[in-house]
Amino acid sequence: MPTIQIETDQLLQAALQLPREELERFAARLFALKARQETPSLSEREAELLIQINRGLPAAMQERLNELIDKRRAGTIKAKELRELKKLTDQVEKLDAERLKLLTELAHLRAVPLRKLIKQLGLRPVPHD
């Protein structure tokens, strides 16, 4: 495989030109690769789990969710938008439940309690309001 030399700032600038969702996938893969590098015994499944665990909400979904939350806070949300907000909130809860399932699997693979794994990964709850 050929190698290229690239400065860190050039790499960061190139990454910032990616569409948001692609940038998020790139960051998740980078995190998994770094974790694998620091933990050479990281299995393929552990790497897959880390990628999925660190994947955020799709950018468009997060933006719409934030927009609707802002409208609700301002008291300007319409009934149709409130129904959409509830639907998005349900989807977020499903994604959070799936993330917890993945974390549980990773904790099992590493034979550590879930709370310890969460602390090791530096994960904190994400407020969705």
Side-chain angles (χ1 to χ4, degrees), residues 6-128:
I6 187 167
E7 297 293 326
T8 302
D9 287 342
Q10 292 174 311
L11 181 59
L12 289 173
Q13 289 303 317
L16 289 175
Q17 293 177 20
L18 295 170
R20 187 175 178 165
E21 289 185 22
E22 192 173 339
L23 177 61
E24 290 172 358
R25 284 194 302 272
F26 175 78
R29 289 187 65 201
L30 182 62
F31 175 81
L33 288 170
K34 181 68 177 161
R36 193 174 204 171
Q37 186 181 45
E38 291 177 357
T39 312
S41 61
L42 190 64
S43 72
E44 191 69 32
R45 182 62 184 150
E46 286 177 289
E48 289 174 15
L49 289 169
L50 285 169
I51 289 171
Q52 293 176 23
I53 289 166
N54 288 295
R55 186 174 296 145
L57 293 177
M61 182 179 184
Q62 183 66 61
E63 288 174 19
R64 184 62 178 153
L65 191 62
N66 292 344
E67 182 181 312
L68 293 172
I69 289 171
D70 288 345
K71 283 186 170 189
R72 187 186 64 201
R73 286 183 179 152
T76 59
I77 195 165
K78 296 178 181 162
K80 184 178 178 183
E81 291 171 323
L82 187 57
R83 285 191 300 272
E84 182 184 359
L85 178 58
K86 289 178 180 175
K87 188 176 177 182
L88 285 172
T89 301
D90 288 344
Q91 291 175 344
V92 168
E93 288 176 359
K94 285 180 183 175
L95 291 170
D96 285 346
E98 180 62 28
R99 189 174 186 220
L100 181 59
K101 183 178 165 186
L102 297 168
L103 281 164
T104 302
E105 182 181 343
L106 184 58
H108 178 75
L109 284 173
R110 292 185 173 183
V112 297
L114 182 58
R115 285 184 186 270
K116 184 175 181 179
L117 175 69
I118 290 172
K119 188 174 181 179
Q120 287 174 345
L121 296 175
L123 299 177
R124 292 181 298 182
V126 177
H128 297 298

